[in-house]
């Protein structure tokens, strides 16, 4: 096959592909608020969730963030997004890897969850990030039936992003889009400490 034939074949293939993609775009006509779940052991779940929030804000949409872990850590996204009018609700004294006081952890989770419930019933909020919510379900700090029902009954058109490892099977079933971030390698395993602007 000469160069010209090769080029023609390539063009034909691309044209076919384009037609297929166009067909799928034309068929995707539904419009609704999505539930996204970003799970897995690799790095990039929360940064992805904050990426969605940033994207929403960039379009002038209203977004809010609930964080179910790491209350006292500084958070680069928070410093920026609060200035852009995004409210943050963060677990305060409660859950960290070190705490032993389960009752206190549950109470702290419940406070943020009550804020989340308000957001999930407010049609003026376009996008809600529930960062690290998965742990609250796997540790049974929050009632899964209540959480799933609240998410299911949220205002039509509202998008929700849930992040965290080991997402519950029922959450995955309910979600529209689920991504699993796989860890290939992580700097921490090579003895490098957490880096400002990369890890927080
Ligand atoms: P990020 O906030 O950077 O997107 P993440 O949300 O995917 O990370 P988490 O499980 O919430 O990951 O953990 C948060 C912290 O743990 C971050 O400092 C992150 O760099 C670190 N981390 C994430 N994945 C790994 C891993 N596979 N090994 C070691 N540390 C990790
Ligand atoms: Mg995270």
């Amino acid at each position: 096959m000469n160069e010209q034939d090769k080029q023609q074949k390539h063009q034909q293939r691309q044209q076919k592909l384009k037609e297929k993609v166009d067909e799928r775009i034309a068929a995707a006509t539904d419009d609704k608020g999505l539930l996204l779940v970003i799970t897995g052991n690799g790095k990039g779940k929360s940064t992805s969730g904050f990426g969605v929030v940033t994207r929403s804000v960039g379009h002038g949409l209203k977004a809010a963030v609930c964080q179910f872990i790491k209350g006292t850590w500084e958070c680069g996204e928070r410093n920026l997004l609060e200035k852009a009018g995004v409210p943050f609700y963060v677990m305060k004294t409660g859950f960290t890897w070190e705490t032993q006081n389960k009752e206190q952890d549950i109470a702290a989770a419940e406070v943020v969850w009550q804020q989340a419930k308000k957001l999930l019933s407010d049609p003026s909020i376009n996008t809600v990030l529930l960062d690290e919510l998965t742990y609250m379900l796997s540790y049974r700090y929050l009632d899964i039936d209540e959480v799933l029902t609240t998410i299911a009954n949220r205002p039509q058109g509202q998008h929700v992003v849930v992040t965290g490892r080991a997402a519950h099977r029922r959450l995955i079933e309910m979600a529209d889009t689920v991504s699993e971030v796989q860890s290939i390698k992580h700097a921490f395993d090579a003895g490098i400490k957490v880096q400002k602007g990369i890890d927080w």
Side-chain angles (χ1 to χ4, degrees), residues 41-47 70 132 135 165 183 186 199:
N41 294 332
K43 172 177 161 55
K45 299 175 291 295
S46 294
T47 36
K70 298 188 230 182
E132 320 297 349
Y135 302 98
R165 295 176 192 211
S183 185
H186 194 286
D199 294 298

Side-chain angles (χ1 to χ4, degrees), residues 147-164:
V147 169
L148 295 187
T149 306
T150 305
I151 293 175
N153 293 336
R154 73 191 185 277
Q156 218 191 5
Q158 186 181 73
H159 301 300
V160 174
V161 185
V162 174
T163 77

Side-chain angles (χ1 to χ4, degrees), residues 32-37 128 130 148 151-152 154 158-162 170-178:
K32 68 164 206 153
L34 299 178
L35 172 60
L36 279 76
V37 174
V128 181
L130 304 172
L148 295 187
I151 293 175
R154 73 191 185 277
Q158 186 181 73
H159 301 300
V160 174
V161 185
V162 174
R170 288 175 61 196
L171 183 67
I172 289 175
E173 274 165 18
M174 216 180 106
D176 300 284
T177 298
V178 181

Side-chain angles (χ1 to χ4, degrees), residues 93-95 99 101-109:
T93 51
F95 185 85
T99 56
N101 189 335
K102 195 172 167 192
E103 293 310 311
Q104 192 185 308
D105 291 345
I106 291 172

